[in-house]
Amino acid sequence: MVQTAEKKEKRRVYPFTGIIGQEEMKLALILNVIDPKIGGVMIMGDRGTGKSTTIRALVDILPEIDVVPDDPFNSSPTNPELMSESIRELFDKGESLPAGKKQVPMIDLPLGATEDRVCGTIDIEKALTEGVKSFEPGLLAKANRGLLYVDEVNLLDDHLVDVLLDSAASGWNTVEREGISIKHPAQFVLVGSGNPEEGELRPQLLDRFGMHAEIRTIADPKLRVEIVQQRIDFDSNPEECLKKYEEKQQELRDKILKAKELLPETTVSHDLRVKISQVCSELNVDGLRGDIVVNRAARAAAAYSGKKEVSVDDIGQVICLCLRHRLRKDPLESIDSGDKVKKVFEEVF
């Protein structure tokens, strides 16, 4: 009974394909689903521009992954890199692991979450009395191989930010309590949203996001009326609205699956790679993360368009998203960071 209620609840999310405008944000989210190694997306924008709605709507179009049933860490039955320690032990012994399908998980991280809730807790009493490691998995375990969404990420406690940074960088979460240590895979796509008026994000955290989308309020009155009407229709009759978009939703799911299959065959020519690095160099981007992310995102964009070879257009689509948040802030600069990236891209390409 609970399961059916959950399924119904899931289906009532506003359809992703029904969201008007905000193409940059939608593209960034889709590319991260196609290639999670892009490293997540940070969405900053005005209040009430549909940031949370769009991210939560993503749940409905996420593909399925192979998992070991009833494993709290979403372990893969075939890839040792994506297995928890207990499953890996069974795998190394040569035991055959059961396999099942599960939708890519999307976990909400509440602002008031404690460190124990995020990382998980070790039952010290059980460890001392029975001599067994008993671990209660946290949100990072649930988010393994999925998406971790933090709304108002710029208001998150600093110590939680450190925990997320550490796990996002290493792909592992380690919990240490009273001399007992437990480690599990925590490979997730970090998706954050926030309003710049409520404070800036720490540069270390900002740099961890592969992409950065900036959202503006739609100014066109006709579009605004259309958006308001759609929202009213959805609130009054969600089932009808979802039926209307079911075909488009399925088309997008299929397109994402095809892109994921095509991705390993997609290549970036040497000349284009040199030009990407030239753009990063001229913009004085610190480190090489910018170059890597642009290459990855351009390949994902090409695969999404059904191509095996990356073109200049694919790079043009993603370069602002990948680099605008990596530029050094100059208080005297009058030009917007996104426009600055565009300008240098046009000069180099």
Side-chain angles (χ1 to χ4, degrees):
M1 189 66 203
V2 175
Q3 273 187 325
T4 51
E6 256 184 26
K7 274 183 186 171
K8 263 191 180 174
E9 202 56 47
K10 267 189 177 176
R11 285 210 314 268
R12 290 171 79 95
V13 174
Y14 192 86
F16 190 85
T17 47
I19 291 162
I20 298 169
Q22 313 300 19
E23 297 306 323
E24 190 181 75
M25 166 167 61
K26 289 194 282 194
L27 178 70
L29 289 166
I30 288 168
L31 295 184
N32 270 281
V33 172
I34 293 168
D35 184 4
K37 286 188 176 146
I38 287 170
V41 55
M42 175 70 203
I43 296 162
M44 288 298 245
D46 309 327
R47 292 182 292 273
T49 43
K51 300 186 293 293
S52 304
T53 305
T54 309
I55 295 164
R56 292 201 168 97
L58 193 65
V59 170
D60 213 28
I61 56 158
L62 292 175
E64 287 187 328
I65 48 171
D66 292 318
V67 293
V68 176
D70 304 323
D71 178 67
F73 308 106
N74 305 320
S75 296
S76 163
T78 50
N79 185 350
E81 290 297 308
L82 301 171
M83 290 179 186
S84 62
E85 287 182 333
S86 56
I87 300 287
R88 180 73 188 259
E89 279 170 23
L90 295 173
F91 180 78
D92 289 341
K93 284 177 190 168
E95 292 188 28
S96 68
L97 297 168
K101 290 268 186 195
K102 181 182 180 178
Q103 194 181 30
V104 170
M106 180 159 173
I107 305 298
D108 263 349
L109 179 77
L111 276 183
T114 60
E115 194 175 335
D116 283 351
R117 182 73 193 99
V118 176
C119 300
T121 51
I122 295 170
D123 189 337
I124 299 297
E125 197 179 329
K126 214 171 189 179
L128 294 173
T129 53
E130 298 172 32
V132 291
K133 279 186 184 179
S134 176
F135 180 62
E136 181 63 42
L139 295 175
L140 292 181
K142 289 181 180 170
N144 186 37
R145 301 180 69 203
L147 291 97
L148 185 68
Y149 173 45
V150 191
D151 199 2
E152 308 295 352
V153 68
N154 42 350
L155 302 180
L156 200 63
D157 276 354
D158 270 3
H159 73 282
L160 280 184
V161 169
D162 294 334
V163 166
L164 289 181
L165 283 177
D166 194 37
S167 300
S170 64
W172 287 86
N173 173 39
T174 308
V175 183
E176 305 254 359
R177 295 280 186 281
E178 315 294 331
I180 300 167
S181 177
I182 282 181
K183 187 177 164 192
H184 70 78
Q187 298 186 18
F188 50 84
V189 175
L190 195 55
V191 180
S193 66
N195 182 352
E197 288 173 11
E198 288 161 355
E200 286 295 317
L201 211 56
R202 276 167 50 185
Q204 309 93 298
L205 182 57
L206 202 50
D207 190 54
R208 279 275 172 248
F209 285 100
M211 293 178 152
H212 186 285
E214 283 182 6
I215 307 303
R216 300 269 175 269
T217 305
I218 291 171
D220 182 356
K222 284 180 185 171
L223 270 184
R224 289 172 80 120
V225 168
E226 201 179 325
I227 293 166
V228 171
Q229 189 54 52
Q230 270 198 359
R231 186 72 231 189
I232 291 166
D233 291 346
F234 179 77
D235 289 341
S236 59
N237 192 345
E239 297 301 324
E240 188 60 41
C241 187
L242 290 165
K243 261 185 206 163
K244 184 178 155 188
Y245 286 102
E246 185 45 52
E247 204 175 305
K248 281 186 182 174
Q249 293 277 90
Q250 193 53 51
E251 275 172 24
L252 183 56
R253 279 185 213 113
D254 295 342
K255 197 175 174 185
I256 288 171
L257 277 174
K258 277 181 191 157
K260 280 178 90 73
E261 284 165 17
L262 190 62
L263 187 65
E265 299 170 41
T266 313
T267 55
V268 188
S269 71
H270 183 263
D271 288 350
L272 290 181
R273 288 209 300 266
V274 170
K275 285 183 174 178
I276 288 168
S277 291
Q278 193 184 333
V279 171
C280 294
S281 174
E282 286 187 22
L283 287 166
N284 291 323
V285 173
D286 290 332
L288 292 172
R289 201 172 273 142
D291 306 50
I292 294 166
V293 172
V294 175
N295 275 282
R296 280 194 183 286
R299 283 181 59 213
Y304 185 54
S305 306
K307 300 180 296 188
K308 288 186 182 179
E309 186 67 46
V310 170
S311 67
V312 176
D313 288 346
D314 298 321
I315 299 167
Q317 263 188 311
V318 300
I319 200 157
C320 279
L321 283 165
C322 299
L323 296 182
R324 64 151 66 96
H325 58 301
R326 301 179 197 277
L327 307 191
R328 290 180 188 170
K329 289 273 185 284
D330 182 356
L332 302 174
E333 194 78 76
S334 58
I335 186 171
D336 172 65
S337 55
D339 295 337
K340 198 175 175 183
V341 174
K342 270 186 197 149
K343 191 173 166 230
V344 174
F345 168 75
E346 279 161 12
E347 284 168 10
V348 172
F349 284 86

